[in-house]
Amino acid sequence: MAEQLSQSELDYPFKLLEYFNGFRVSKVIFSACELGVFDLLLKSQESLSAGQVAQELSTSVDGMERLLDALVGFEILEVETADGTALYSSTDVANLYLAKESPKSLHDMIIYHSQTIYPLWNNMVDAVREGKNQNEKTFGIPAEEIFQAIYRSEEEMLKFMGLMNSSWVLDGHDIATAFNLSSFHSVVDLGGCTGALGREVARAYPSASVTVFDLPQVVQTAQKHFAQDDDTVVFQAGDFFTEEVPPADLYILARVIHDWPEEKCLTLLNKLCRTCSPGGGVLLVEAVLFENRKGPVMGQLFSLNMLVQAVGRERRLSQYTLMLNKAGFNNVQLCRTGKPYDAILALR
């Protein structure tokens, strides 16, 4: 990237302009999701004009036309002209990932980014200066109480759980099959939230028993809003920092270690090593940074998000290996999935 920027970018900074206008692109997609544009176009049996969309969604015609045109520019929507009127329709990608009713919908993830992550990132300068999250400035909740901030209301809990559910509906199969886990007969997904990743593990290894272990209010909400008729996962309520965890052959920590500083991570990993069945192990799921600090960019952005929202960070494999070895785990293996989240397997 640096070599590319040093040549053509000196003549005109196209890439830099693309980068610092990125927030505008995000906000167009966020706004369309919040307004219900993609749901309306999916349900419609025909292409719609900006006026029709505006009427259905109670917006101005002018504002909606500009929003729809930008989405066409992003190749998220399609447009055709009939008798001088622009008619808009969804692409297959929009129907699959942006409409709320799709089984692979990222709608909940987008709403969470728009209404929670975006306001936090407005305070990024302060986060960098202070070296701490911005929950107090953004939401009025002390910086140390990160999950009190995330779960500050039932509505906010549902948004966060929707985000996590979307993540594992999208990436869960790749994580579940990153390694051959068939030798582990009992699996506990710690902080497993809605059970979406646990379900992927259960589908991939039907002979294994899979338990989702999370805080009581999370378990209650998961069973109320995210339960499935064919569920084979079992939910168990508890706090894995302050209470004993169920014995298991394999513990999954997906997007958990990155929330916390090393000392707290070591406390948890030590507990798991003591409780883990002989020959068992732990599966960490994180965005693992390159040792040379040159990426992946998505992981580097996630690490900044941990600065502005939590008290942890994304780490390199060498850092995870050191922690795991200190806790008593060995034979640390990394599988890069090619997606935002990678898998690290370590054995007792």
Side-chain angles (χ1 to χ4, degrees), residues 69-229:
D69 284 345
L71 291 165
V72 170
F74 301 160
E75 299 182 349
I76 292 174
L77 296 184
E78 295 177 340
V79 66
E80 57 184 15
T81 302
D83 298 326
T85 300
L87 298 174
Y88 301 88
S89 59
S90 275
T91 60
D92 290 341
V93 168
N95 287 336
L96 184 62
Y97 292 115
L98 299 178
K100 192 173 183 179
E101 300 306 316
S102 167
K104 288 193 174 183
S105 176
L106 302 180
H107 181 272
D108 288 343
M109 181 187 292
I110 289 167
I111 296 300
Y112 189 80
H113 277 77
S114 180
Q115 298 179 359
T116 300
I117 301 299
Y118 195 89
L120 281 164
W121 277 62
N122 279 330
N123 295 313
M124 178 59 71
V125 170
D126 290 329
V128 172
R129 282 181 178 145
E130 299 164 8
K132 68 178 186 179
N133 69 59
Q134 297 299 300
N135 287 321
E136 186 162 11
K137 184 170 292 181
T138 311
F139 305 120
I141 296 173
E144 299 77 18
E145 308 295 339
I146 64 168
F147 276 92
Q148 281 81 344
I150 290 172
Y151 296 153
R152 61 191 179 276
S153 69
E154 184 177 357
E155 180 185 7
E156 290 303 317
M157 178 182 286
L158 273 172
K159 285 181 191 176
F160 178 78
M161 293 177 72
L163 160 77
M164 297 299 288
N165 200 71
S166 295
S167 295
W168 302 132
V169 166
L170 193 64
D171 297 327
H173 178 73
D174 292 313
I175 295 301
T177 58
F179 297 99
N180 183 354
L181 305 178
S182 59
S183 62
F184 302 110
H185 302 298
S186 58
V187 179
V188 174
D189 186 2
L190 297 170
C193 202
T194 67
L197 180 56
R199 291 184 187 98
E200 292 295 339
V201 172
R203 290 188 191 104
Y205 308 98
S207 63
S209 66
V210 180
T211 300
V212 173
F213 188 90
D214 215 317
L215 297 171
Q217 64 268 38
V218 176
V219 168
Q220 182 179 9
T221 304
Q223 292 176 321
K224 180 179 179 181
H225 294 280
F226 297 94
Q228 296 185 1
D229 294 336

Side-chain angles (χ1 to χ4, degrees), residues 230-251:
D230 59 348
D231 254 347
T232 58
V233 300
V234 175
F235 285 84
Q236 183 172 336
D239 185 327
F240 51 69
F241 280 119
T242 62
E243 301 173 28
E244 292 303 312
V245 298
D249 297 330
L250 179 71
Y251 292 102

Side-chain angles (χ1 to χ4, degrees), residues 1-68:
M1 181 59 70
E3 293 179 1
Q4 294 172 353
L5 289 177
S6 66
Q7 300 301 318
S8 62
E9 289 292 301
L10 290 176
D11 296 325
Y12 194 87
F14 287 105
K15 186 61 68 174
L16 285 177
L17 288 169
E18 179 185 333
Y19 286 160
F20 67 65
N21 277 288
F23 78 96
R24 302 177 197 263
V25 177
S26 300
K27 261 307 188 183
V28 167
I29 299 170
F30 294 169
S31 300
C33 276
E34 291 185 66
L35 289 167
V37 170
F38 303 112
D39 303 298
L40 175 63
L41 291 176
L42 175 61
K43 292 173 184 174
S44 175
Q45 299 299 308
E46 56 186 18
S47 301
L48 300 177
S49 68
Q52 290 172 309
V53 176
Q55 183 176 7
E56 289 291 331
L57 301 180
S58 302
T59 73
S60 69
V61 176
D62 180 46
M64 181 54 67
E65 184 176 55
R66 298 185 202 204
L67 185 70
L68 295 173

Side-chain angles (χ1 to χ4, degrees), residues 258-279:
H258 76 168
D259 288 330
W260 307 103
E262 183 174 333
E263 186 176 312
K264 194 158 187 174
C265 294
L266 277 171
T267 299
L268 176 58
L269 291 172
N270 273 309
K271 177 189 288 190
L272 298 185
C273 193
R274 291 193 307 269
T275 313
C276 187
S277 303

